[in-house]
Amino acid sequence: MSLLKRRPFASLLTLAVLAGGASLFHPAVRTYVEARLPLGDLLAPPAAATPAAPAMQAMPVPVEKVAKRTLPVYLDYPARTEAIQSVSLQAKVTGYLKERVVADGADVKAGDVLYVIDDRDARTALAEAQAQLERDTAQGDYLRSSLKRGEELSQKGFLAKDGFDQRTSSLRQAEAAIAIARAAVEAAELDIERSTIRAPFAGRVGRSAASVGTLVTSGQTVLNTLVQLDPVYVAFNPAEKELAAIKAALGKGEVTAEITLPGQQGSKPYAGKLTFIDNRLDASTGTVAARATIANTAFDLLPGQYVHLRLSVGSQPDMLMAPQVALGSSQLGKFVYVVGKDSMVEQRMVEVGRTDGNQIAILSGLTEKDLIISGNLQKIWPGVPVQPLPTPEKLASR
């Protein structure tokens, strides 16, 4: 097999070299090389350069203008809910538990019947007190008439002064006995009333601690607990350095508060207002106890729940705002892509401030005239041509 067939490229290169210097050695070699590889082809001018690649197609990207608006000033705290009212339900009478009217965990209104205790002993005591009152009243009526007769006899001289004083004393003792009997009647009636345990305020009962038939002892047996759920307190601890801003906001009027549950930041917050700041600072933590009152009409918040509290203490006008989705991060800091000259992507390093919804405050790095690229961020980089697209809001308004 010839050299050209086995290694064509190397053979051609060898022949080219030989052709260049063949005349120095032998005319036959030169003739052979020129026959196999014409020197005219090697010495011909180079072919035209390869055509340049077509220009990069512009990437369609959604853009948003830098917004300028007033930014609310918030203070955020971890917080915990507390019940405004919470009571242990105990009986003031002794007797067997006759009936449980509401189920465990039921929501009740003020005045609703919760438990009924057997009141037969109280009714017996009432009947006895009423009989005693009637007897004392009859005795008092007799002694009053006796005193009246004694007064007439004393004026005529038929009754000694000592006898008249005795009749007067007896009547007063009878009147005192009547008052005691009336108090006993009222006590018995009160025991009958207390045999029916009612909700002192609207709220939710817990798990019952006594079953029907349990002997309830006055002032000892706990039947259940009742907590108020609407409204509720939310306790938090602002730092000492934040008190000035909070007090300044209070000086201008009501300070509003919003509550969100962990993991439910997208849901509608619970609204309320700041209602309490303690009168002393905790020196060990540098914080002060504070409390907001929050409406809880659906009873969704329970006492002891951890929540996030946002306190509104003012506003900052003329803040530049950008969408949070457009914000990128690198070793140099935060940045955004904007549409620059000739619709090319430019990277702007920015300093950011507080967030508000899906927007974030830009403290430096942008102007009101900038167009921020808010989508297709993984497909672009500085210098890439882009085609700005209208935002979904603009498309919807068409």
Side-chain angles (χ1 to χ4, degrees):
M1 182 180 293
S2 67
L3 178 64
L4 286 173
K5 288 184 179 180
R6 286 182 297 170
R7 295 183 181 180
F9 178 78
S11 300
L12 289 174
L13 183 60
T14 303
L15 290 175
V17 173
L18 291 175
S23 59
L24 299 177
F25 298 97
H26 199 281
V29 175
R30 178 182 179 88
T31 303
Y32 175 81
V33 171
E34 289 180 349
R36 293 293 183 180
L37 184 63
L39 294 179
D41 293 342
L42 295 175
L43 301 177
T50 304
M56 183 180 297
Q57 186 175 3
M59 171 66 65
V61 291
V63 297
E64 294 187 28
K65 288 185 177 180
V66 176
K68 188 176 184 180
R69 60 185 177 86
T70 299
L71 179 65
V73 178
Y74 296 115
L75 295 175
D76 295 298
Y77 302 99
R80 195 168 187 173
T81 57
E82 296 178 353
I84 294 179
Q85 298 185 86
S86 178
V87 296
S88 295
L89 299 174
Q90 292 181 297
K92 284 290 290 180
V93 296
T94 298
Y96 289 100
L97 186 60
K98 182 179 180 180
E99 183 180 1
R100 286 175 51 193
V101 180
V102 298
D104 292 350
D107 296 327
V108 298
K109 300 185 295 294
D112 284 355
V113 177
L114 306 180
Y115 293 91
V116 178
I117 299 172
D118 188 356
D119 62 355
R120 287 178 294 178
D121 292 341
R123 292 189 179 280
T124 300
L126 175 60
E128 181 180 353
Q130 288 174 335
Q132 183 68 37
L133 176 60
E134 291 178 1
R135 187 184 67 179
D136 292 341
T137 301
Q139 180 68 17
D141 292 341
Y142 169 75
L143 293 175
R144 192 171 293 105
S145 298
S146 176
L147 178 62
K148 186 176 182 181
R149 290 192 301 270
E151 184 177 3
E152 295 175 354
L153 293 174
S154 177
Q155 290 176 353
K156 295 179 181 180
F158 296 108
L159 182 63
K161 182 71 168 59
D162 182 66
F164 178 78
D165 291 342
Q166 288 180 358
R167 293 188 183 191
T168 302
S169 177
S170 298
L171 178 58
R172 289 180 178 176
Q173 293 178 30
E175 289 174 345
I178 292 172
I180 294 174
R182 284 175 179 168
V185 170
E186 292 177 0
E189 290 175 343
L190 189 59
D191 284 345
I192 293 175
E193 181 180 343
R194 287 172 173 171
S195 296
T196 301
I197 300 176
R198 300 178 181 272
F201 51 81
R204 178 175 294 172
V205 295
R207 185 173 61 181
S208 182
S211 302
V212 173
T214 301
L215 178 60
V216 176
T217 304
S218 174
Q220 297 183 17
T221 305
V222 177
L223 301 176
N224 209 323
T225 57
L226 174 66
V227 296
Q228 180 181 344
L229 295 182
D230 182 35
V232 294
Y233 287 145
V234 178
F236 62 103
N237 298 93
E240 181 180 2
K241 62 182 181 181
E242 298 165 340
L243 288 179
I246 296 175
K247 290 182 178 179
L250 283 173
K252 297 178 182 178
E254 187 176 276
V255 176
T256 60
E258 293 182 351
I259 299 299
T260 54
L261 299 178
Q264 298 183 11
Q265 279 74 13
S267 60
K268 183 178 179 180
Y270 300 86
K273 60 182 180 180
L274 179 66
T275 53
F276 169 76
I277 298 179
D278 206 353
N279 58 3
R280 62 176 181 172
L281 193 75
D282 189 338
S284 62
T285 61
T287 61
V288 64
R291 193 169 62 201
T293 303
I294 304 297
N296 185 32
T297 55
F299 290 3
D300 294 328
L301 298 175
L302 299 178
Q305 216 169 344
Y306 285 102
V307 296
H308 177 266
L309 181 141
R310 169 168 282 187
L311 210 60
S312 177
V313 293
S315 60
Q316 286 182 326
D318 301 330
M319 295 296 295
L320 299 182
M321 306 296 294
Q324 290 193 59
V325 294
L327 192 66
S329 183
S330 69
Q331 294 180 345
L332 300 178
K334 303 292 184 180
F335 67 88
V336 294
Y337 290 135
V338 300
V339 180
K341 185 179 180 180
D342 299 329
S343 296
M344 295 291 185
V345 176
E346 291 184 7
Q347 185 184 60
R348 298 282 182 83
M349 304 306 296
V350 295
E351 181 183 355
V352 298
R354 297 189 312 277
T355 60
D356 184 36
N358 60 357
Q359 300 282 308
I360 187 167
I362 304 298
L363 304 181
S364 64
L366 292 179
T367 67
E368 288 185 75
K369 297 180 181 180
D370 287 326
L371 283 179
I372 302 174
I373 301 174
S374 59
N376 286 339
L377 300 175
Q378 298 84 1
K379 302 177 182 179
I380 60 175
W381 56 89
V384 172
V386 291
Q387 178 185 355
L389 298 177
T391 60
E393 291 78 6
K394 291 183 179 180
L395 290 174
S397 62
R398 290 182 178 178

